[in-house]
Amino acid sequence: QQSELNSFLWTIKRDPPSYFFGTIHVPYTRVWDFIPENSKKAFQQSHIVYFELDLTDPYTMSALTSCQLLPQGENLQDVLPRDIYCRLKRHLEYIKLMMPSWMTPDQRGKGLYADYLFNAIAGNWERKRPVWVMLMVNSLTEVDIKSRGVPVLDLYLAQEAERLRKQTGAVEKVEEQCHPLNGLNFSQV
């Protein structure tokens, strides 16, 4: 029963109460039906909502994109072993070939085209740091492609907060997320 599910909601006892809710970066439609009512109610009753990052802010999105890039003048083929780079390139060519068959009629009806989607996800991949390429490749699956266009849970809640005219903010800066990932060495990646 939904009332018995772990809600990932913590209450900070104060007046008025504050809540801490753990989200996951997946399309909200995959998890929304499993979020217990107490979590949804806490969100509805809240006047101020803070997120990990402000995914509705163009600067945040631009900074996330920039932090993924290798230093100026470097390309992925300069930093990856040749065999891995060639395998990656072949795999991305395969993904690009398969994407039209992975897209849903609903996505096509909304004007989403496979080439556009591939470029939105994998564009400029040769300039990205290996850790970000790894994360990108992990998201290039048929299941993930079919759900593109559906906001991840964090973004959905941020959009809902804006729609409901709640005050919003972020607890982290892009750099706080990027620097630890960019600091991983090649063997860790």
Side-chain angles (χ1 to χ4, degrees):
Q1 291 213 21
Q2 188 169 10
S3 62
E4 297 172 9
L5 292 174
N6 181 348
S7 67
F8 303 102
L9 179 74
W10 288 265
T11 302
I12 301 167
K13 293 180 180 170
R14 54 181 295 261
D15 189 25
S18 290
Y19 302 98
F20 186 80
F21 179 68
T23 59
I24 185 169
H25 299 285
V26 298
Y28 85 94
T29 52
R30 286 193 198 167
V31 295
W32 190 252
D33 291 342
F34 302 101
I35 296 175
E37 289 304 318
N38 67 336
S39 299
K40 293 176 182 176
K41 185 177 177 185
F43 177 78
Q44 288 295 327
Q45 292 177 345
S46 296
H47 300 289
I48 304 169
V49 184
Y50 280 86
F51 297 94
E52 184 178 10
L53 291 173
D54 184 356
L55 298 178
T56 63
D57 178 22
Y59 168 78
T60 298
M61 302 314 292
S62 173
L64 273 172
T65 300
S66 295
C67 87
Q68 296 178 18
L69 299 177
L70 287 162
Q72 193 65 35
E74 284 188 35
N75 288 310
L76 198 56
Q77 72 181 31
D78 300 329
V79 297
L80 283 183
R82 180 164 170 68
D83 62 323
I84 292 176
Y85 177 81
C86 291
R87 283 177 49 206
L88 173 62
K89 189 171 182 174
R90 280 193 310 271
H91 180 68
L92 291 175
E93 288 166 359
Y94 164 78
I95 296 295
K96 189 171 187 172
L97 186 69
M98 295 303 295
M99 277 184 73
S101 67
W102 292 351
M103 296 193 61
T104 66
D106 186 50
Q107 287 171 317
R108 285 189 206 93
K110 291 179 180 172
L112 203 54
Y113 296 99
D115 283 346
Y116 169 81
L117 189 55
F118 180 84
N119 287 330
I121 299 168
N124 210 18
W125 67 270
E126 294 184 81
R127 288 274 304 119
K128 290 185 179 186
R129 295 172 184 266
V131 67
W132 297 101
V133 172
M134 178 194 67
L135 294 170
M136 176 196 75
V137 168
N138 287 339
S139 73
L140 285 169
T141 65
E142 183 174 359
V143 170
D144 283 338
I145 296 304
K146 286 183 183 303
S147 64
R148 284 294 171 144
V150 176
V152 293
L153 182 58
D154 308 48
L155 180 56
Y156 172 75
L157 290 172
Q159 290 169 338
E160 276 297 290
E162 282 190 352
R163 185 182 69 78
L164 297 169
R165 293 187 168 90
K166 296 177 184 289
Q167 183 180 334
T168 62
V171 295
E172 287 186 6
K173 293 182 171 101
V174 169
E175 298 75 23
E176 293 170 309
Q177 291 218 343
C178 279
H179 292 313
L181 284 174
N182 288 348
L184 295 174
N185 65 40
F186 289 126
S187 66
Q188 292 168 315
V189 173

